[in-house]
Amino acid sequence: MSEHFLVTGGNRLEGEVLVGGAKNSVLKLMAAALLAEGTTVVTNCPDILDVPLMADVLRGLGCEVELEDSEVRITTPAEPKYHADFDAVKQFRASVCVLGPLVARCRRAVVALPGGDAIGSRPLDMHQSGLRLLGARSEIEHGCVVAEADDLHGANIRLVFPSVGATENILMAAVLARGETVIDNAAREPEIVDLCNMLNEMGAKVSGGGSSTLTIQGVRKLEPTTHRVIGDRIVAATWGVAASITRGDVRVRGVNHKHLGLVLDKLRTAGAEVTPEVDGFRVIQRERPKAVNFATLPYPGFPTDLQPMAIGLAAVAEGTSMITENVFESRFRFVEEMIRLGADARTDGHHAVIRGVPVLSSAPVWSSDIRAGAGLVLAGLVADGTTEVHDIFHIDRGYPRFVENLRGLGGVIERVGTE
């Protein structure tokens, strides 16, 4: 039995939506619990499929994990297992973030190569080279990344690209390494800052979070903590774009609007009234959106995770937009599905040119990843008739209570099971 969405277009979204914890943060925070013996509690966890998957990964490593409402309790043993070669690891990309903590705690790790979204090449070269500079040996063997070290020591590490995953793994290995580690050209995402804050609460000595240089003074031992996950800026921005694309009025709560500075500026350029608020922001779009150019870049640039939403907005905007994808080369697979919906779009290399049309036309479409799925639903909201969105398990991996939240804003969506 598989499921798909039936999305009926034509309704203006109005109301308020509460955003939960960030998917791109919670899974890394759960992995960080491996760094300390005892019980670590992570609160404000989103109700998404990847959280129980990560819980399964941690259980396979010897942890006891309890999931209750929006809280995860992780009890890590004195000697965690180091071999993460099981089905859960292969189902989502973030599972690789156990690599750094395992090398730090066990001095050895065997982690099956991760799965996840089909959005392009995401090799582990920088993860491995960083661990090698810290004193580990690392190779790819039999479908697993293998790392082991007699001792970990501080190092000066410069990333060739500000990779979020590589920054996280190297950071989590370095907190228990001997001496000082400096990571240059580190990722600057708010989720990295969230991880740095949690590690410091556990007794680590990390400075520079949010800048391109992280400095870590290694410590001998970390202690468990209780930490609240930051709000999900990608989910929040999705609802903001949904307001703009449907000419709606939506208040988004539970997120720091400062984490979305460029995104909200783009919505203003499209003609929306955007008002920052204490715990979120409000988007009102009174007329047809205007064409806007987007170029994805690492934070604080425009997020690649919002590229499908940008294309959906451009598809019904007045004028011609150019979308440039600078992070994941295969993310434009989404454009093929938008063309099914009547979008006037063409791609050339890492550019897409979108000529806006007044309304899209309903059709069956297929999600290739989490964000593409959400983007297709948004497009369905401004299509005539009812759009079928298939492979929605992707959406469930990143958007908690997606149907309930969309219906609460006045959207017409139904989850349907099929053989």
Side-chain angles (χ1 to χ4, degrees), residues 320-365:
T320 300
S321 304
M322 176 174 285
I323 317 293
T324 303
E325 175 55 55
N326 293 307
V327 181
F328 291 128
E329 71 277 5
S330 297
R331 203 145 217 170
F332 279 151
R333 292 176 58 184
F334 168 78
V335 176
E336 299 172 10
E337 301 305 304
M338 286 297 299
I339 292 172
R340 292 181 193 269
L341 294 173
D344 183 352
R346 63 181 177 84
T347 61
D348 182 9
H350 60 116
H351 300 289
V353 176
I354 317 291
R355 294 179 176 85
V357 298
V359 63
L360 297 173
S361 57
S362 56
V365 290

Side-chain angles (χ1 to χ4, degrees), residues 108-394:
R108 188 174 185 190
V110 180
V111 181
L113 292 175
D117 294 330
I119 55 177
S121 174
R122 294 189 284 182
L124 300 180
D125 296 8
M126 283 185 285
H127 302 242
Q128 292 180 277
S129 61
L131 292 177
R132 289 180 186 127
L133 288 171
L134 292 174
R137 300 172 293 280
S138 182
E139 304 293 340
I140 302 294
E141 299 177 5
H142 308 294
C144 296
V145 55
V146 178
E148 55 185 4
D150 301 321
D151 183 39
L152 291 179
H153 53 75
N156 292 321
I157 300 170
R158 181 170 182 83
L159 300 179
V160 297
F161 177 84
S163 161
V164 172
T167 299
E168 291 163 339
N169 261 326
I170 297 167
L171 167 63
M172 287 190 280
V175 292
L176 292 180
R178 176 172 42 83
E180 180 181 272
T181 297
V182 177
I183 306 174
D184 281 319
N185 200 26
R188 300 167 58 189
E189 275 74 358
E191 295 79 16
I192 295 288
V193 178
D194 202 22
L195 177 59
C196 291
N197 289 340
M198 177 174 165
L199 291 172
N200 285 337
E201 291 163 12
M202 298 171 75
K205 296 181 180 178
V206 181
S207 60
S211 75
S212 59
T213 301
L214 291 177
T215 302
I216 305 104
Q217 302 291 341
V219 298
R220 294 185 61 187
K221 183 180 180 183
L222 297 181
E223 301 293 338
T225 190
T226 297
H227 182 85
R228 180 180 174 84
V229 187
I230 60 170
D232 196 316
R233 62 192 172 98
I234 303 301
V235 172
T238 299
W239 297 123
V241 175
S244 183
I245 202 172
T246 64
R247 306 184 202 184
D249 179 356
V250 175
R251 175 176 276 112
V252 183
R253 295 178 47 238
V255 70
N256 186 342
H257 66 83
K258 294 179 182 179
H259 295 165
L260 289 165
L262 180 58
V263 175
L264 298 182
D265 283 346
K266 290 291 186 180
L267 291 181
R268 291 187 183 99
T269 303
E273 299 171 19
V274 181
T275 307
E277 298 186 348
V278 173
D279 66 340
F281 57 90
R282 182 180 182 183
V283 176
I284 305 174
Q285 183 87 39
R286 303 185 190 279
E287 305 291 339
R288 182 181 175 187
K290 298 179 178 65
V292 182
N293 295 330
F294 298 87
T296 67
L297 287 168
Y299 189 85
F302 191 86
T304 183
D305 279 354
L306 291 176
Q307 184 241 81
M309 295 69 169
I311 290 176
L313 182 63
V316 294
E318 183 178 353
T320 300
S321 304
M322 176 174 285
I323 317 293
T324 303
E325 175 55 55
N326 293 307
V327 181
F328 291 128
E329 71 277 5
S330 297
R331 203 145 217 170
F332 279 151
R333 292 176 58 184
F334 168 78
V335 176
E336 299 172 10
E337 301 305 304
M338 286 297 299
I339 292 172
R340 292 181 193 269
L341 294 173
D344 183 352
R346 63 181 177 84
T347 61
D348 182 9
H350 60 116
H351 300 289
V353 176
I354 317 291
R355 294 179 176 85
V357 298
V359 63
L360 297 173
S361 57
S362 56
V365 290
W366 282 261
S367 307
S368 56
D369 64 79
I370 297 171
R371 311 307 172 183
L376 290 170
V377 171
L378 265 56
L381 295 173
V382 287
D384 60 3
T386 299
T387 296
E388 295 180 11
V389 181
H390 295 269
D391 291 344
I392 61 173
F393 63 90
H394 288 297

Side-chain angles (χ1 to χ4, degrees), residues 69-117:
D69 296 327
S70 60
E71 182 175 291
V72 179
R73 299 179 64 86
I74 303 162
T75 302
T76 302
E79 296 184 6
K81 300 176 184 177
Y82 63 83
H83 197 166
D85 182 18
F86 27 83
D87 290 340
V89 172
K90 301 171 184 176
Q91 293 183 52
F92 66 119
R93 176 72 184 183
S95 59
V96 77
C97 65
V98 301
L99 178 64
L102 289 178
V103 174
R105 274 297 302 283
C106 308
R107 294 296 192 260
R108 188 174 185 190
V110 180
V111 181
L113 292 175
D117 294 330

